[in-house]
Amino acid sequence: MPQLSTRITTLNEGGSDGWEVFYRARKMAAAGQPVTELTIGEHDIGTDASILQAIHASASGGHTGYAMVPGVAELRQAVADRITARTGVPTGPENVLITPGGQAALFAAHVAVLSPGDAALYIDPYYATYPGTIRAASGRAVPVPTEADRAFLPQGAAIRAAAAESGAKSLLVNTPNNPTGMVYPIETLEEIATATIDHDLWLISDEVYDTQVWQGEHISPRTLPGMAERTLVVGSMSKSHAMTGSRAGWLVGPTDAIDRLIDLATSTTYGVPGYIQDGALFALNQGPDLEDKISTPFRRRRDLALKVIAEQNTVTAIPAQGAMYLMLDIRATGLSGRDFAEALLDEHLIAVMPGESFGKSAAGHVRVALTVADDRLVEALKTLCAFADNKARADA
Amino acid sequence: MPQLSTRITTLNEGGSDGWEVFYRARKMAAAGQPVTELTIGEHDIGTDASILQAIHASASGGHTGYAMVPGVAELRQAVADRITARTGVPTGPENVLITPGGQAALFAAHVAVLSPGDAALYIDPYYATYPGTIRAASGRAVPVPTEADRAFLPQGAAIRAAAAESGAKSLLVNTPNNPTGMVYPIETLEEIATATIDHDLWLISDEVYDTQVWQGEHISPRTLPGMAERTLVVGSMSKSHAMTGSRAGWLVGPTDAIDRLIDLATSTTYGVPGYIQDGALFALNQGPDLEDKISTPFRRRRDLALKVIAEQNTVTAIPAQGAMYLMLDIRATGLSGRDFAEALLDEHLIAVMPGESFGKSAAGHVRVALTVADDRLVEALKTLCAFADNKARADA
């Protein structure tokens, strides 16, 4: 076989991709073991039947041929209207490209703003695909470290230092944040905005959890002065409407950038199924009621989980303000996040993600996805805390 | 706005993309003019109701969460079985990556085999997105010219010359061919195989029209000695099963390459909707009957069209052996393909694609898509021929 390009053989940095615990848990579950999976951001409900009916009605009505590459006009308009309403930034359909999911939007954004070899910043801890996405776009992935003691919020000085040292062209941020559950406050966003303007960076803002906010307020950095012209917002139906499998997302940005991104879409995806777009349009048109119905269990479970954590002293929680995760500090056990997660799976059949899977900054933590029924979640967290307590005592 | 990367601003070579006639025809049709559109490769039927029912049954049954990134196991197996049966090359699910359409497969293949700046060959005339796809993958797009008088079949010497001069890493071919309708004979495939082996090229073989063969036989170049280890085959449900809008395709290749392509998919698409994959599986499982039902109208129309062309002397046809198009030589009119197409649309409300839209080699030709009802097609072709005849007499 002829050689493959280096960019594709080094996507995972040649080493572990940090998902061993997840895959092992899936295998154990498939073999019939009663594993409690608190690993990935997948709802414990499927897509609402009314949305599936809308998809089927569109397909049966004949919308099965090539859809327009930029997206169905009505969906582009609906996304634009929704963003205008939620952020106050005037946004039209010409600012919107429909993509086959948020991941495709993340990738397209980086292809658009990076030339091969350009550095691209992202905040550590990060959603698992971020560095690979930058490498797939032939970019150089440069993490910006954060500190557990500052709730993993990015600091302006760290962004500036990384931008100056690497000569970066872009910065990727995510609020509400996966894996930390933090919602960036206005101060953080202002530091991000100033740094990106001063270093002439594109800001790629992943806002796919924007309907899952339990504390404070989601502010899109695109709303800050001077930012609309340098921000590409990644959105998706996955988390807000429990449509993970439908692969429907979007990019919002300056018209000139979207025009070029449409050319890119012609050469990379050739659009998104029209009947899925019609289903997404139907879902958006249901307004906040459907979104609330989907986000409410996570709000409730986050409260239940924080209560369990508060009842003991070994494990502490980053005080999640949004998204569907809880990041737990287990450093008092003396274990790494990975060793903790491996042992918890072996001894108690509970699967959580090692913090290390999301970057160096999250070492000594584990991420818990709030994606099982309330009582099962509470039970699992009680077990996790008792397990941590034992380990801490053994370590002392 | 900060600068965009050069690769995205130059996707269309900065100039016309050759689709003006198409867009103008669409506008005229949308404004209510009775345009006969013989432009793009879109069936005049929708996706079969039984397939849509299978999609809906899968979604309603709960297959709405993230599907496995490499593809649903049963679909990978079915694609592998189909390729084994049709080509004799032993192929397993580990050789198959399911992609969101054939275009995504074309793009992923080029990302996998090219490093930024590497040259990639493609045969001129070509399907419209080919050069943009290579550029989107940060490659250098190098056309290999062909000659109308040799029915646009690629010649080994031209491939070798282009490979040697550019230092290319890959060659992209398409049989049955869009836009020419030719099915590459074994002699052509042997020249391609020898050239790719001698120059250590990856062969990217676009075979999305493999069920539409009217004369001769479709031979996958992957079946030739030494080729399975250097060939990535692009397949799709679009043309064979009238599922253009569903964006379901695949790549088939060596396991080591597919493994890396799965990493790439994680960072670029995160898979394909599971319920669409289940619909594709259902469609493949219907066997040749459904494929024949979908391809038969094009076979019939191709015969009708060739008969009309044979009745006059100004226009000659490349003798289409497959796919859903007919390439007509209109050089006797003294017009370029573009001028011919523009005038035909203005004077007779018939839209065809200028040959120039598909590359320099097809200058003085127009491509006719066989995608309207038989009598309308015959009528339009008679008008086209009479129009050409008038132009030729005026030119003489």
Side-chain angles (χ1 to χ4, degrees):
Chain A
M1 166 176 126
Q3 279 201 319
L4 294 168
S5 75
T6 312
R7 67 178 155 193
I8 196 173
T9 56
T10 58
L11 277 182
N12 290 340
E13 274 185 324
S16 140
D17 64 359
W19 290 77
E20 290 82 359
V21 179
F22 167 69
Y23 287 117
R24 200 156 67 84
R26 275 282 153 106
K27 265 195 194 158
M28 290 164 68
Q33 292 189 265
V35 176
T36 300
E37 290 190 70
L38 308 173
T39 47
I40 64 167
E42 176 102 67
H43 311 68
D44 48 331
I45 54 165
T47 304
D48 199 84
S50 65
I51 300 173
L52 300 181
Q53 197 52 55
I55 291 173
H56 188 54
S58 167
S60 301
H63 202 177
T64 62
Y66 291 115
M68 297 297 282
V69 170
V72 169
E74 293 80 1
L75 181 60
R76 293 176 84 193
Q77 184 71 57
V79 170
D81 290 348
R82 184 169 185 267
I83 294 222
T84 305
R86 291 173 73 98
T87 67
V89 182
T91 306
E94 69 280 5
N95 298 114
V96 179
L97 169 68
I98 305 300
T99 63
Q103 181 60 51
L106 277 170
F107 173 69
H110 282 97
V111 171
V113 306
L114 301 178
S115 289
D118 279 349
L121 308 181
Y122 62 104
I123 308 298
D124 181 338
Y126 51 84
Y127 169 56
T129 70
Y130 282 0
T133 303
I134 292 166
R135 289 187 205 111
S138 302
R140 198 152 42 88
V142 178
V144 177
T146 62
E147 293 166 35
D149 299 343
R150 291 175 164 189
F152 299 116
L153 291 175
Q155 307 294 316
I159 296 170
R160 288 165 178 284
E165 197 192 324
S166 65
K169 291 295 196 314
S170 61
L171 166 66
L172 169 57
V173 298
N174 172 220
T175 181
N177 188 269
N178 172 14
T180 69
M182 292 302 293
V183 176
Y184 289 5
I186 183 68
E187 296 75 24
T188 299
L189 295 169
E190 282 170 347
E191 288 188 30
I192 289 170
T194 313
T196 54
I197 291 170
D198 288 352
H199 290 270
D200 197 23
L201 305 180
W202 279 96
L203 183 67
I204 300 173
S205 179
D206 177 350
E207 303 180 24
V208 300
Y209 294 99
D210 68 348
T211 62
Q212 304 182 344
V213 179
W214 325 132
Q215 230 177 39
E217 182 194 2
H218 168 62
I219 304 170
S220 172
R222 183 167 172 262
T223 60
L224 272 62
M227 290 306 291
E229 67 188 65
R230 62 175 65 245
T231 302
L232 295 169
V233 175
V234 174
S236 164
M237 301 298 292
S238 290
K239 310 298 183 181
S240 57
H241 292 80
M243 291 179 69
T244 53
S246 289
R247 316 309 303 128
W250 54 80
L251 270 176
V252 171
T255 311
D256 289 351
I258 294 296
D259 282 349
R260 297 284 77 75
L261 280 154
I262 293 168
D263 292 343
L264 181 69
T266 301
S267 292
T268 54
T269 64
Y270 213 76
V272 177
Y275 52 84
I276 288 184
Q277 294 190 66
D278 288 343
L281 178 63
F282 169 87
L284 285 182
N285 284 343
Q286 303 313 297
D289 283 358
L290 181 55
E291 295 171 12
D292 289 349
K293 178 174 147 190
I294 289 162
S295 66
T296 295
F298 302 109
R299 175 194 294 270
R300 195 177 61 230
R301 291 171 192 163
R302 172 256 189 190
D303 293 343
L304 289 170
L306 288 179
K307 211 169 130 198
V308 173
I309 305 297
E311 284 162 4
Q312 49 75 58
N313 294 315
T314 307
V315 176
T316 57
I318 303 293
Q321 302 169 331
M324 52 216 287
Y325 314 99
L326 206 58
M327 189 72 120
L328 301 181
D329 184 342
I330 52 89
R331 286 179 289 182
T333 64
L335 296 177
S336 70
R338 171 158 313 178
D339 289 345
F340 185 94
E342 295 279 6
L344 185 67
L345 179 58
D346 284 333
E347 297 177 30
H348 297 286
L349 299 181
I350 296 169
V352 297
M353 291 293 290
E356 292 85 357
S357 305
F358 308 101
K360 287 180 185 165
S361 299
H365 290 69
V366 295
R367 188 192 75 173
V368 173
L370 308 171
T371 48
V372 297
D374 300 18
D375 49 353
R376 197 168 176 196
L377 175 69
V378 167
E379 178 86 5
L381 280 171
K382 283 183 177 168
T383 304
L384 182 153
C385 287
F387 169 82
D389 217 37
N390 279 338
K391 293 288 177 191
R393 272 201 295 270
D395 188 51
Chain B
M1 165 176 130
Q3 278 201 320
L4 294 168
S5 75
T6 311
R7 66 179 158 195
I8 197 173
T9 56
T10 58
L11 277 183
N12 290 341
E13 272 184 326
S16 140
D17 63 359
W19 289 78
E20 290 82 358
V21 178
F22 167 69
Y23 288 117
R24 200 156 69 83
R26 277 282 154 105
K27 266 196 191 157
M28 290 164 69
Q33 291 188 265
V35 176
T36 300
E37 289 190 71
L38 308 173
T39 47
I40 64 166
E42 177 102 65
H43 310 70
D44 48 330
I45 54 165
T47 303
D48 199 84
S50 66
I51 300 173
L52 301 180
Q53 197 51 54
I55 290 172
H56 188 54
S58 167
S60 301
H63 202 178
T64 62
Y66 290 117
M68 297 297 284
V69 170
V72 169
E74 294 79 0
L75 181 59
R76 293 175 84 194
Q77 184 71 57
V79 170
D81 290 348
R82 185 168 185 266
I83 294 222
T84 305
R86 292 173 72 98
T87 68
V89 182
T91 306
E94 68 280 5
N95 299 114
V96 179
L97 169 69
I98 305 300
T99 63
Q103 182 59 50
L106 277 171
F107 173 68
H110 282 96
V111 171
V113 306
L114 301 179
S115 288
D118 279 347
L121 308 181
Y122 63 103
I123 308 298
D124 180 341
Y126 52 84
Y127 169 56
T129 70
Y130 283 0
T133 303
I134 293 166
R135 288 188 206 109
S138 302
R140 198 153 40 90
V142 178
V144 177
T146 62
E147 293 167 35
D149 299 343
R150 291 178 165 185
F152 299 115
L153 290 174
Q155 309 292 316
I159 295 171
R160 287 165 179 283
E165 198 193 323
S166 66
K169 290 293 196 314
S170 63
L171 167 65
L172 168 57
V173 298
N174 172 221
T175 181
N177 189 269
N178 173 14
T180 69
M182 293 301 293
V183 177
Y184 289 4
I186 183 69
E187 297 76 23
T188 299
L189 295 169
E190 282 170 348
E191 287 187 31
I192 289 169
T194 312
T196 54
I197 290 170
D198 289 352
H199 291 269
D200 197 24
L201 305 180
W202 280 97
L203 183 67
I204 300 172
S205 179
D206 178 350
E207 302 181 24
V208 300
Y209 294 99
D210 68 347
T211 62
Q212 304 183 344
V213 179
W214 326 132
Q215 231 177 36
E217 181 194 3
H218 168 64
I219 304 169
S220 171
R222 182 166 172 262
T223 61
L224 272 61
M227 291 307 291
E229 66 187 65
R230 62 177 64 245
T231 303
L232 295 169
V233 176
V234 174
S236 164
M237 300 298 292
S238 290
K239 310 298 183 182
S240 57
H241 293 81
M243 291 179 69
T244 52
S246 290
R247 316 308 303 129
W250 54 81
L251 269 175
V252 171
T255 312
D256 288 351
I258 295 296
D259 283 348
R260 298 284 76 76
L261 280 154
I262 292 168
D263 292 343
L264 181 69
T266 301
S267 292
T268 54
T269 63
Y270 213 77
V272 177
Y275 52 84
I276 288 184
Q277 295 190 64
D278 288 343
L281 179 64
F282 169 87
L284 285 181
N285 283 343
Q286 303 312 298
D289 283 359
L290 180 56
E291 295 171 13
D292 289 348
K293 179 176 146 188
I294 289 161
S295 67
T296 295
F298 302 110
R299 175 195 293 270
R300 196 178 60 229
R301 290 170 193 163
R302 172 255 190 188
D303 293 343
L304 289 169
L306 287 179
K307 213 168 130 196
V308 174
I309 305 297
E311 284 163 2
Q312 50 74 60
N313 294 315
T314 306
V315 176
T316 57
I318 303 292
Q321 301 168 330
M324 51 214 289
Y325 315 98
L326 206 58
M327 189 72 119
L328 302 179
D329 183 342
I330 52 88
R331 286 178 290 182
T333 64
L335 296 177
S336 70
R338 172 159 311 178
D339 289 346
F340 184 94
E342 296 278 8
L344 184 68
L345 179 58
D346 284 334
E347 296 177 30
H348 297 286
L349 299 181
I350 296 169
V352 297
M353 290 295 289
E356 292 85 357
S357 304
F358 307 101
K360 287 182 184 162
S361 298
H365 289 70
V366 295
R367 189 193 74 172
V368 174
L370 307 171
T371 47
V372 298
D374 299 19
D375 49 354
R376 198 168 175 197
L377 175 70
V378 166
E379 179 85 6
L381 280 171
K382 283 183 175 168
T383 305
L384 181 152
C385 287
F387 170 82
D389 215 37
N390 281 336
K391 293 289 177 190
R393 270 201 295 270
D395 187 53

